[in-house]
Amino acid sequence: MEGPGLPVVLIDHLGGVQGVYEDHTEFLQKHFHLITMEEFLENKEDLAPKIRAVYQWCQKPVVNEELLQSLPNLSIVASAGVGIDHLDLKLISSYSVKVSNTPSVVSTDTADLGIALMLASSRRIVEGHQIAVSPHTQHFPTDWLGTEVSGATLGIVGMGTIGYKVAQRAKAFEMKILYHSRKQRNKEEEGTVGAIYCKKIDDLLQQSDFVLLSVNLTPQTQKLIGRRELELMKPTATLINISRGLVVDQDALVEALQNRVIKAAALDVTYPEPLPRDHPLLRLENVLLTPHIGSATGQTRRRMMEGMVESIRAGLAGLPVPNQVLP
């Protein structure tokens, strides 16, 4: 049960498709008095001054100017995950409210998924499963072939924590690793994974058999991969996106896949999410899609929740906020 005197924290809702996980609730209620958006809207006059923090899970509740204006004693917004493109940091900061996220805890699982998408796409795992279980299958086709990963060239766009973990895993497959990033890693870090820095993204695109996107969504990275970039890639190359859907010009990607400008795409992220059910990406045989599950393991989601609790408690106590995001 929620104890008396606990800090009041606004959440969107408990349970359901995008609500706070029910098995997280007991831990959260040891530290906070939770108020749902429905409760808040029904009794805004009484509850608004009491709310000290927003616990944002699945990017909800939406933190906009209307909400900020209605919460005079708000101190911190804790957002789950690494991406903060859904938050207007300058606006939130103008209300003297801090923001935190959970970047480090998602990196291992997201890197694992990047490798999984590369392997599943190259070895045509989903298609293979469909052949294996089809009631119409009488023989397995011997000319049904995938693409070799070991020894291939992997180009990583964005060598942050996730990108570097992808490189660590790719090294085990004896891949040649190229990377393009805002900042070059030091020589020791490059040497550990055998990564070669490409100052120009064009060089990486032209040489890579697999191009994996692991960048934050910013105005500079929106539609980073468009028609020109796709045409620079090998016709045998696969594009893998584990960052954000808007990093890729989706219309250009559809065209490139339809016309075999590139061989395939493996995407954990799209725009919007989910795609409209008539979107052409859903009908292309050379596309593998997953529903934005980079951090979706029980262990990681638990660590995300615990990290958000730590950030909120620190923010309310006037202590340095772990993983604070500055505008």
Side-chain angles (χ1 to χ4, degrees):
M1 296 293 293
E2 297 170 335
L6 292 176
V8 178
V9 173
L10 180 66
I11 64 172
D12 196 72
H13 63 283
L14 288 167
V17 176
Q18 292 185 314
V20 173
Y21 296 163
E22 291 182 2
D23 61 349
H24 291 183
T25 303
E26 183 178 354
F27 185 88
L28 289 168
Q29 289 179 336
K30 288 180 180 179
H31 300 282
F32 308 129
H33 180 85
L34 302 178
I35 296 295
T36 66
M37 276 297 294
E38 182 179 5
E39 292 169 329
F40 170 66
L41 294 174
E42 288 176 352
N43 190 14
K44 185 181 291 189
E45 185 176 345
D46 180 52
L47 293 176
K50 299 177 182 178
I51 292 171
R52 301 288 314 285
V54 172
Y55 180 94
Q56 194 180 56
W57 194 257
C58 295
Q59 302 184 6
K60 294 182 179 181
V62 175
V63 179
N64 52 23
E65 188 152 25
E66 180 182 0
L67 183 66
L68 291 166
Q69 287 177 343
S70 68
L71 301 178
N73 296 312
L74 183 66
S75 296
I76 183 169
V77 173
S79 180
V82 61
I84 42 83
D85 47 278
H86 58 287
L87 294 171
D88 187 334
L89 297 180
K90 290 185 178 179
L91 173 66
I92 296 171
S93 178
S94 71
Y95 284 84
S96 299
V97 174
K98 295 178 180 178
V99 173
S100 71
N101 63 351
T102 61
S104 57
V105 297
V106 307
S107 57
T108 296
D109 282 349
T110 306
D112 286 347
L113 184 71
I115 294 295
L117 287 172
M118 179 175 66
L119 293 171
S121 179
S122 64
R123 298 306 302 272
R124 301 169 68 184
I125 297 296
V126 174
E127 295 170 82
H129 170 77
Q130 292 169 343
I131 291 172
V133 303
S134 171
H136 306 295
T137 297
Q138 296 181 345
H139 306 284
F140 289 162
T142 56
D143 60 348
W144 188 84
L145 304 175
T147 301
E148 192 171 42
V149 168
S150 295
T153 299
L154 171 64
I156 301 172
V157 181
M159 190 64 101
T161 305
I162 294 171
Y164 194 76
K165 285 182 177 287
V166 169
Q168 290 174 323
R169 287 151 178 73
K171 184 184 178 185
F173 289 92
E174 300 175 343
M175 301 187 81
K176 179 181 179 182
I177 301 169
L178 308 177
Y179 78 98
H180 171 78
S181 200
R182 284 187 302 115
K183 294 181 180 179
Q184 183 175 357
R185 290 269 180 172
N186 63 50
K187 295 301 180 185
E188 182 180 354
E189 291 171 330
E190 288 181 341
T192 299
V193 295
I196 300 170
Y197 179 64
C198 294
K199 187 173 183 179
K200 296 181 179 178
I201 192 174
D202 292 8
D203 294 335
L204 178 148
L205 296 172
Q206 290 169 335
Q207 298 178 64
S208 299
D209 299 302
F210 301 92
V211 174
L212 183 140
L213 307 177
S214 179
V215 296
N216 291 326
L217 178 61
T218 66
Q220 291 72 38
T221 61
Q222 185 166 331
K223 293 189 176 181
L224 178 67
I225 303 298
R227 182 172 286 103
R228 187 190 76 85
E229 290 74 24
L230 291 163
E231 289 176 351
L232 287 174
M233 292 172 62
K234 296 179 180 181
T236 55
T238 296
L239 180 70
I240 303 160
N241 190 3
I242 55 172
S243 54
R244 285 290 187 269
L246 280 170
V247 172
V248 177
D249 182 335
Q250 243 170 217
D251 292 337
L253 177 61
V254 168
E255 184 180 320
L257 291 165
Q258 290 172 332
N259 297 327
R260 301 290 172 168
V261 173
I262 63 172
K263 183 177 182 179
L267 313 171
D268 186 45
V269 289
T270 59
Y271 183 80
E273 291 176 350
L275 289 169
R277 296 297 88 185
D278 61 349
H279 196 281
L281 279 177
L282 303 181
R283 301 193 298 271
L284 292 173
E285 292 183 356
N286 53 345
V287 175
L288 174 62
L289 293 167
T290 51
H292 203 150
I293 55 172
S295 65
T297 67
Q299 297 91 330
T300 286
R301 293 288 168 88
R302 180 81 185 185
R303 287 191 290 267
M304 288 166 63
M305 178 271 291
E306 290 171 350
M308 293 166 70
V309 169
E310 182 183 0
S311 293
I312 291 173
R313 294 184 69 193
L316 297 184
L319 301 172
V321 174
N323 299 314
Q324 182 175 352
V325 183
L326 300 176

